[in-house]
Amino acid sequence: MITASPHFAQPARWQQLWREAISDPHELLKMLGLSHLQQTLLSTPTNQFPLRVPRGFVARMRYGDATDPLLLQVLPQAAELLELPGFTRDAVGDLASRSAHGLLHKYQGRALLIATGSCAIHCRYCFRQHFPYAEETAAANRWHEAVEHLRADDSISEVLLSGGDPLSLATPKLAESTAALATIPHIRRLRIHTRLPIVLPERVDAELLSWLTRLHVQCVIVLHANHANEIDESVAAACARLRDAGVTLLNQSVLLRGINDSADALAALSERLIECGVLPYYLHQLDRVFGTAHFEVDDVRALAIIDELRVRLSGYLVPKLVREVASAPYKLPLHDSRI
Ligand SMILES: *Cc1c(COP(=O)(O)O)cnc(C)c1O
Ligand code: SF4
């Protein structure tokens, strides 16, 4: 994964905050009063997926709590080095479904563009941490090729921007890249998969909102929050700004052991999301990617948690529990064995 921050002529406030993100695990532990945990850290200097976490996100972590659900999402731990059977480097078959550089056309009707490899935060469970972004980034001059593929296939009505985090591109670059989509009549929706409004809500600035408001197609943003504590007032305000710009907001989460693997945690997340006008969409079973085994929750427990959520919450607040299977035509729902 590319970890350098984007280049900006005149950095906006969010770009400044991006640059000030914490990248030293020792500094992070010290800020949280947890320096005694240093020996559990991952200590490989050649690690290609280093710590990265914006200071505003760190501020939402609990001081002195080694089990904080936000901290555990970003702290590089020695457990990542465990070689376990079944955990590979391309667990979701991305490499097989590539149809033009940076374009993944795996499902009918929608195609996903890898807009950039950069992220404001590095999530330790991320299935894309081993993806060869350097070659596969649509923004890196291969955009034209991807757009021509979209133009030629009128079965595609929705374009997904993903990554990495597509909102890590500066807004003028986003606008420039998506302008070509306006010339393709069969593209009716733009969907953006992003964690930035959660981890760096300052990204939702006037410039971004102005671009979103002027889009010629309907826009859906799929946020990515895993725990209610991630959504403080600044995130709630960012969601309100996005909704005011006419954007439909959904959220996807990953089910993570020790972080959100309880009905209490997920119910609190759904309640917090709907307060912000965001509907829960997917709850993903972890992709079995090398270095993430310590986050895995088994299917029986996952289904039991969802069952409890169904009892406790309005139906629309229960996310769909799914797993991505390389050859499947959609993200497969996990089924209750009683049906
Ligand atoms: C997840 C994904 C999509 C979107 O799937 P939905 O079920 O529509 O959310 C599209 N393309 C790829 C390659 C994906 O991984
Ligand atoms: S989960 Fe999303 S934001 Fe986190 S590292 Fe992966 S792509 Fe980036």
Side-chain angles (χ1 to χ4, degrees):
M1 172 163 291
I2 296 166
T3 54
S5 39
H7 290 0
F8 314 112
Q10 286 173 311
R13 167 109 182 103
W14 70 270
Q15 291 163 325
Q16 194 62 40
L17 293 168
W18 174 300
R19 288 178 179 161
E20 291 166 7
I22 305 287
S23 56
D24 177 358
H26 300 282
E27 185 185 356
L28 175 62
L29 289 179
K30 198 167 165 216
M31 285 170 80
L32 296 167
L34 293 168
S35 292
H36 58 282
L37 291 179
Q38 312 238 352
Q39 72 283 359
T40 66
L41 290 173
L42 181 63
S43 58
T44 39
T46 56
N47 181 15
Q48 292 178 349
F49 195 60
L51 171 79
R52 170 185 286 282
V53 56
R55 287 173 190 268
F57 195 79
V58 176
R60 298 171 225 160
M61 297 176 185
R62 289 184 295 246
Y63 187 85
D65 184 355
T67 65
D68 180 84
L70 277 55
L71 174 65
L72 293 179
Q73 293 181 48
V74 300
L75 191 67
Q77 303 201 57
E80 293 178 21
L81 296 178
L82 292 175
E83 288 277 358
L84 284 166
F87 284 79
T88 65
R89 284 171 173 78
D90 181 26
V92 291
D94 273 352
L95 297 179
S97 55
R98 185 178 58 215
S99 62
H101 279 280
L103 189 69
L104 304 179
H105 189 188
K106 194 161 154 182
Y107 302 143
Q108 246 177 55
R110 57 255 199 239
L112 183 153
L113 275 165
I114 307 275
T116 167
S118 298
C119 296
I121 189 168
H122 285 174
C123 313
R124 306 318 298 177
Y125 53 84
C126 182
F127 72 101
R128 292 191 187 276
Q129 60 186 284
H130 305 290
F131 198 78
Y133 278 106
E135 301 128 63
E136 301 300 331
T137 301
N141 304 324
R142 312 306 287 257
W143 191 266
H144 178 73
E145 211 175 313
V147 166
E148 288 320 305
H149 179 92
L150 293 170
R151 192 187 305 282
D153 186 344
D154 65 8
S155 74
I156 301 172
S157 59
E158 183 175 54
V159 174
L160 281 72
L161 299 184
S162 186
D165 197 315
L167 293 191
S168 50
L169 293 176
T171 306
K173 178 78 189 167
L174 270 176
E176 178 196 321
S177 305
T178 51
L181 300 179
T183 65
I184 309 177
H186 54 266
I187 304 297
R188 314 226 311 255
R189 270 186 315 282
L190 182 67
R191 188 194 323 177
I192 304 173
H193 281 211
T194 176
R195 191 148 158 70
L196 261 159
I198 304 291
V199 302
L200 195 67
E202 294 83 356
R203 175 65 187 95
V204 185
D205 60 6
E207 193 182 25
L208 183 76
L209 293 166
S210 155
W211 170 63
L212 288 170
T213 324
R214 284 182 287 108
L215 273 181
H216 61 286
V217 287
Q218 197 181 355
C219 182
V220 175
I221 291 187
V222 182
L223 300 169
H224 174 179
N226 300 309
H227 194 281
N229 293 3
E230 290 172 46
I231 307 173
D232 67 0
E233 284 315 302
S234 66
V235 175
C239 291
R241 294 196 292 278
L242 289 170
R243 284 190 294 122
D244 286 346
V247 175
T248 299
L249 293 178
L250 305 172
N251 181 69
Q252 57 180 344
S253 313
V254 180
L255 185 57
L256 298 164
R257 195 202 304 170
I259 292 171
N260 61 7
D261 58 337
S262 72
D264 283 348
L266 291 173
L269 174 60
S270 280
E271 296 282 3
R272 184 64 181 134
L273 286 167
I274 196 65
E275 266 174 16
C276 301
V278 184
L279 281 171
Y281 179 39
Y282 282 141
L283 176 63
H284 292 270
Q285 263 300 38
L286 188 81
D287 293 307
R288 305 193 90 199
V289 156
F290 176 72
T292 65
H294 55 295
F295 289 119
E296 193 170 49
V297 178
D298 70 57
D299 286 358
V300 172
R301 239 173 76 65
L303 282 164
I305 292 169
I306 284 292
D307 203 41
E308 196 178 333
L309 285 182
R310 288 202 179 102
V311 172
R312 287 169 55 168
L313 297 175
S314 300
Y316 61 87
L317 293 184
V318 182
K320 291 182 248 211
L321 177 64
V322 292
R323 160 169 291 122
E324 186 145 359
V325 174
S327 56
Y330 49 86
K331 303 203 195 303
L332 292 180
L334 268 70
H335 286 299
D336 194 317
S337 58
R338 290 173 304 184
I339 301 168

